[in-house]
Amino acid sequence: MSAIEALYIFDEHNTPLLEHTYTGRPPPGSTVLPLYLAHTSPRPSLIYLPSTNPPTLLYSIIQDQLLFLAPCSRDTEPLQVLEFLHRVADVLEDFLGAPLLASKIESNYDVVAQLLGEMVDGGVIANTEPNALRDVVEAPSSMRNLLGAVGLPGTTPSSLNPSTTPFSLSSRGPSLSISGRTSPTPAQTISPVPWRRANVRHTSNELYVDIIETLSVTIAPSGRPLAALANGSIAFTAKVSGIPDLLLHIACPGGINNTLSLPVFHPCVRLNRWRDRPGELSFVPPDGRFVLAGYEVDLLGPRALDAFSTDAKAAAAPKLNIPATAAIATSLGPTGVDFEVRLTLNARFAGKPKKGSQSGSGIGSGSAGSSSISRQAGGLSAVGMGIGGAGFGVSSSSSKGTSSSPTIEELVVHVPLPAGVKNVADLRVVKGGGDAGYAPGDRSIEWRLSSREIAALMALDRGAGQGVLATLRGTVVGDVDEGNTEGGPVRLGGEQRWEYDEGPASPASSLAPAEPNSNSKRGFGDEGIAAADARRVKANKVLMPSCVTVSFSVKGWLASGVRVESLSIDAKRSKGIGAGVQPYKGVKYVCVSRKGVEGRC
């Protein structure tokens, strides 16, 4: 069993904020921090420290520029320790608020100490669920006052019903007698569900499903995809009184079993239901927002290897239908110092609603004893628009950012540059608009297009459906190395050509400027100039960018095609929900690329 020996937290300046020892005699934070910093960045999450006594494994994560370290001197399960560190960061964010700052930890040491003591008992991980921790740890005073102002419980259940009336132990049972009435014992205030707080009450009952996918695509110079993955997360927000029992049904065009791979679930999900009926998630949710599930999708599918095939059927390799791609052409111009970035936008994401799409109120698909969220022919709303009660509907307006009209948000193209590049001259957007910026010394070029500029570009397509092309050109400037024509960066222009005269010595210098078109043994005619330019093109290749990446976000669309079919509440298995309560339900789809679409050259 894994043992958590200690936890050290440092701020962004590597100043110690907190040291908490659970068991044993681990090396102090002042000892492990220099050993951690001795490794070059990026540092791995697991570092072996043989110089400590005893030799120690050091686990680390960085959250909001705060460094979390956990030393272990015995055999442990690495993933369990790393997951514990992530849980600590999430719990602190839940109690202290996001983002997690050093000042928040310093001003709430009492709360942080209680949390760390409840999460680990004698080195063994005990309780890491934020909802369960709220039953035993009081929230900070400022947070407690804020929650109390809006009518939400911000402290332990024992203080939810304060009373100044004297009380005494009742001789008839294990309850407390207050003015002739009985109040529940502490055992009765503990939730039967470990990940959910007890006595949850909400004035408005709401359920939200947010599916977020992150793209990771690599495209070869020929335009063929080398790899295309989408990592998805299903974020769920439950604001329902009592203990609801929910059933979420998701689907995708290729079938859940054939599309989703490596699924991971929150502990609240009943795994047997998923195994028997893939696509159905049955669970009792924690209170508030949490990550219900995660998954990975190979967008190339089973034909991924066809992209590398050389037979005639290789033309049938799968093609990606993603919002934007970029390609880069290098070594342009007579000396090979120019490059061009070509950005292609998919016309499908012009923000225009599809023909035949419907809008209006949702049609409920619930049965007796349950209420549900249903998918219409026109698609689910991508901005969380819903109708409380038995059904869910798409937005009544054809606004942008819905599943019927997905829209590309602000788009950024990054062009990484080699270390030898000192400047980029004549950087200009030839077609497409946007702002391209570069400062001498930067390691990349950044080209930004706003949503308005993207919409203007999409309008140029005029319904052809072929997509639009935007281009960016520039000239790189490298180090100056006189006389270097065989390799390495060279001067870009203004050089004087000289030739050596092998004739008899004369009073004049034997070195004289050559005529521009003179033909001699050394050869600086047309063929000589062409050969020199070819050598310069070869030498300047070290200054050329090797790839280009695209960052964007799209509302109302997922690369995998995953969608929510229904969300229902099982009234028979739920507890504490009032009769006839129909929660408001909403869903949102977002696809994000953080430098995830990469075009190589």
Side-chain angles (χ1 to χ4, degrees):
M1 181 180 294
S2 298
I4 307 299
E5 298 181 4
L7 174 66
Y8 308 137
I9 303 178
F10 301 87
D11 65 7
E12 61 273 16
H13 304 296
N14 295 323
T15 303
L17 293 177
L18 182 145
E19 292 191 8
H20 193 100
T21 302
Y22 291 107
T23 184
R25 299 182 62 183
S30 59
T31 300
V32 299
L33 179 62
L35 298 176
Y36 170 81
L37 297 177
H39 288 72
T40 57
S41 183
R43 300 176 180 91
S45 299
L46 177 57
I47 299 176
Y48 179 61
L49 306 178
S51 60
T52 59
N53 187 19
T56 301
L57 288 172
L58 185 63
Y59 299 84
S60 64
I61 67 167
I62 296 178
Q63 178 81 10
D64 294 333
Q65 297 185 351
L66 299 184
L67 175 62
F68 293 76
L69 299 179
C72 293
S73 59
R74 64 185 71 179
D75 290 337
T76 59
E77 182 64 36
L79 293 180
Q80 187 174 5
V81 181
L82 292 175
E83 178 64 19
F84 166 74
L85 293 179
H86 284 286
R87 289 292 184 97
V88 169
D90 293 341
V91 168
L92 293 180
E93 277 193 351
D94 188 82
F95 274 77
L96 306 181
L100 190 58
L101 304 177
S103 58
K104 294 181 180 180
I105 296 179
E106 292 175 344
S107 59
N108 295 281
Y109 273 132
D110 55 339
V111 177
V112 175
Q114 293 182 64
L115 290 172
L116 297 181
E118 292 292 338
M119 296 180 72
V120 177
D121 184 8
V124 179
I125 300 174
N127 184 6
T128 60
E129 291 293 337
N131 272 253
L133 289 171
R134 286 193 177 275
D135 284 343
V136 293
V137 177
E138 291 190 358
S141 58
S142 58
M143 186 65 65
R144 182 168 60 250
N145 295 337
L146 176 62
L147 295 177
V150 297
L152 296 176
T155 183
T156 57
S158 59
S159 62
L160 293 179
N161 300 313
S163 176
T164 58
T165 307
F167 62 89
S168 61
L169 290 175
S170 172
S171 60
R172 295 186 178 182
S175 60
L176 299 178
S177 175
I178 304 177
S179 300
R181 295 178 296 176
T182 60
S183 62
T185 62
Q188 292 174 307
T189 64
I190 299 177
S191 173
V193 182
W195 50 82
R196 187 173 179 83
R197 292 187 297 114
N199 304 324
V200 177
R201 293 291 181 269
H202 289 279
T203 55
S204 61
N205 294 306
E206 301 170 338
L207 297 172
Y208 298 104
V209 184
D210 299 331
I211 304 182
I212 303 99
E213 288 187 354
T214 303
L215 284 179
S216 179
V217 179
T218 304
I219 301 176
S222 62
R224 288 193 174 190
L226 300 178
L229 299 175
N231 295 282
S233 297
I234 303 176
F236 199 93
T237 303
K239 298 181 179 179
V240 179
S241 302
I243 304 178
D245 199 297
L246 307 179
L247 178 62
L248 176 66
H249 185 201
I250 61 175
C252 54
I256 292 295
N257 284 336
N258 298 328
T259 303
L260 301 188
S261 60
L262 304 177
V264 293
F265 303 100
H266 189 275
C268 68
V269 176
R270 299 183 178 97
L271 297 181
N272 291 334
R273 182 66 174 263
W274 176 271
R275 293 192 188 100
D276 297 339
R277 302 176 183 178
E280 294 187 2
L281 294 170
S282 177
F283 59 99
V284 175
D287 183 49
R289 184 178 175 87
F290 67 101
V291 178
L292 178 63
Y295 58 87
E296 182 179 281
V297 176
D298 187 352
L299 300 179
L300 300 181
R303 296 185 298 167
L305 295 179
D306 292 347
F308 306 97
S309 177
T310 57
D311 65 13
K313 296 182 179 180
K319 295 183 179 181
L320 293 175
N321 189 21
I322 56 180
T325 59
I328 185 168
T330 59
S331 298
L332 305 178
T335 57
V337 293
D338 298 335
F339 67 90
E340 182 178 81
V341 178
R342 302 183 181 95
L343 173 67
T344 304
L345 302 177
N346 194 332
R348 175 188 175 188
F349 300 89
K352 301 176 182 178
K354 299 177 182 179
K355 294 182 179 180
S357 63
Q358 300 177 3
S359 62
S361 60
I363 300 175
S365 62
S367 58
S370 67
S371 61
S372 67
I373 175 175
S374 61
R375 182 178 184 273
Q376 289 188 331
L380 290 170
S381 170
V383 291
M385 305 294 290
I387 295 179
F392 175 91
V394 299
S395 174
S396 58
S397 63
S398 59
S399 60
K400 297 181 179 180
T402 64
S403 57
S404 59
S405 58
T407 306
I408 303 176
E409 298 295 320
E410 183 177 2
L411 186 146
V412 182
V413 178
H414 295 269
V415 184
L417 297 175
V421 176
K422 301 304 179 183
N423 197 6
V424 177
D426 196 20
L427 183 64
R428 63 197 183 279
V429 178
V430 179
K431 177 183 177 182
D435 296 326
Y438 172 81
D442 288 351
R443 294 273 65 85
S444 65
I445 299 172
E446 192 174 271
W447 179 18
R448 289 183 174 272
L449 287 87
S450 64
S451 56
R452 181 175 298 180
E453 292 167 335
I454 294 174
L457 271 174
M458 291 294 188
L460 300 176
D461 187 56
R462 302 184 183 278
Q466 301 296 325
V468 294
L469 183 68
T471 55
L472 172 74
R473 291 185 67 94
T475 302
V476 297
V477 179
D479 292 327
V480 176
D481 188 4
E482 294 288 352
N484 180 7
T485 58
E486 297 299 332
V490 297
R491 185 189 294 272
L492 298 179
E495 292 184 0
Q496 187 85 17
R497 293 191 179 93
W498 299 81
E499 68 175 354
Y500 180 71
D501 187 4
E502 295 181 350
S506 63
S509 174
S510 61
L511 287 176
E515 295 296 330
N517 294 322
S518 63
N519 296 319
S520 63
K521 294 181 180 179
R522 303 293 294 179
F524 274 97
D526 293 340
E527 295 181 357
I529 293 175
D533 288 342
R535 289 194 296 269
R536 289 186 177 88
V537 170
K538 181 179 179 181
N540 286 325
K541 284 186 177 181
V542 298
L543 302 177
M544 290 293 105
S546 59
C547 67
V548 56
T549 61
V550 185
S551 304
F552 56 81
S553 63
V554 179
K555 292 182 179 179
W557 176 81
L558 296 177
S560 65
V562 173
R563 63 182 182 274
V564 176
E565 291 286 350
S566 64
L567 173 61
S568 59
I569 300 179
D570 191 337
K572 296 181 180 179
R573 303 176 67 174
S574 302
K575 298 179 182 179
I577 300 180
V581 173
Q582 302 290 342
Y584 177 93
K585 304 166 186 178
V587 68
K588 179 168 63 176
Y589 302 140
V590 178
C591 185
V592 180
S593 168
R594 297 183 181 91
K595 299 184 181 180
V597 179
E598 177 183 351
R600 296 181 178 178
C601 63

